[in-house]
Amino acid sequence: METDTRIAVLYATAQGSSRDVAESIATELTTRGARVELAEVEHAPELDDFDAVVLGSAVHDRKMLPEADEFVRAHRDTLTTRPTWLFTVGLGPGLRGPIGRRLAHAVPPAIDKTRAAISPRDYHAFAGAYSREDLPFASRVLYRLLGGPRSGDLRDWDEIRGWTDGIADELGLPNSDKVDADNA
């Protein structure tokens, strides 16, 4: 059963990890009955056509990608007048060890500034995927010293689904088993 709820799931990605997370979010919201449009921020649809927005970006140097920041600046008024959720994908949430765990939960100042500008209903930082070749040598060393795992896919798909279910619940979307039963 499709609802009348229209959601734009928008993302900025550098190597595809943020796109994959956005696709997962879009799929989950669709299974909950929403009409979802998935797009990169550079090709975002007109936001006035949507009831809610989920916006995500990769994090480089503790900042969202420039195209995501530009999108927020250009659409700030619209993003503050409808339910908006914000997520980032980066290496920080994958840190372990005594220092790494503290840093993993700290919101970088540039991202905190974005949160303050648009007041999203919720913000979540997800671990991403990377290979050693994706990072300069100095960054690899620092990442390891802070407790980062060697490399690979650090994304927690259950965590992503759980966060998305929270969005769906807040928007009053039916549970996916109800949607499946109505479509049977």
Side-chain angles (χ1 to χ4, degrees):
M1 175 178 115
E2 191 173 271
T3 68
D4 289 335
T5 305
R6 295 202 48 174
I7 305 170
V9 177
L10 310 172
Y11 64 91
T13 192
Q15 297 159 342
S17 192
S18 300
R19 179 196 60 237
D20 294 346
V21 171
E23 286 174 350
S24 176
I25 291 167
T27 299
E28 182 70 19
L29 292 171
T30 300
T31 65
R32 295 282 301 261
R35 293 185 293 154
V36 177
E37 188 163 338
L38 175 70
E40 288 188 74
V41 292
E42 297 97 340
H43 306 291
E46 177 58 48
L47 294 183
D48 289 336
D49 297 337
F50 294 89
D51 303 302
V53 177
V54 178
L55 174 62
S57 176
V59 174
H60 287 189
D61 297 323
R62 299 179 46 85
K63 298 175 187 168
M64 291 174 33
L65 295 179
E67 55 269 29
D69 279 336
E70 177 56 37
F71 181 83
V72 168
R73 278 192 298 279
H75 299 282
R76 181 182 173 276
D77 291 342
T78 305
L79 293 169
T80 58
T81 60
R82 65 190 21 82
T84 299
W85 285 263
L86 180 66
F87 72 91
T88 55
V89 179
L91 298 177
L95 294 175
R96 303 292 179 256
I99 297 171
R101 273 194 294 276
R102 273 191 199 175
L103 292 175
H105 298 293
V107 178
I111 295 171
D112 200 39
K113 184 177 175 184
T114 300
R115 283 192 333 178
I118 62 172
S119 301
R121 298 275 178 104
D122 192 25
Y123 162 71
H124 198 90
F126 297 109
Y130 87 102
S131 65
R132 291 175 48 87
E133 298 77 33
D134 293 341
L135 296 175
F137 177 75
S139 296
R140 287 196 309 262
V141 170
L142 179 61
Y143 182 65
R144 290 292 296 145
L145 288 173
L146 292 173
R150 294 214 184 272
S151 67
D153 190 347
L154 308 176
R155 294 170 291 188
D156 182 337
W157 296 106
D158 289 335
E159 178 185 16
I160 294 164
R161 276 189 293 280
W163 188 71
T164 306
D165 281 340
I167 295 170
D169 291 344
E170 193 167 338
L171 291 171
L173 298 175
N175 288 327
S176 56
D177 55 345
K178 167 91 171 105
V179 173
D180 292 341
D182 288 344
N183 289 332

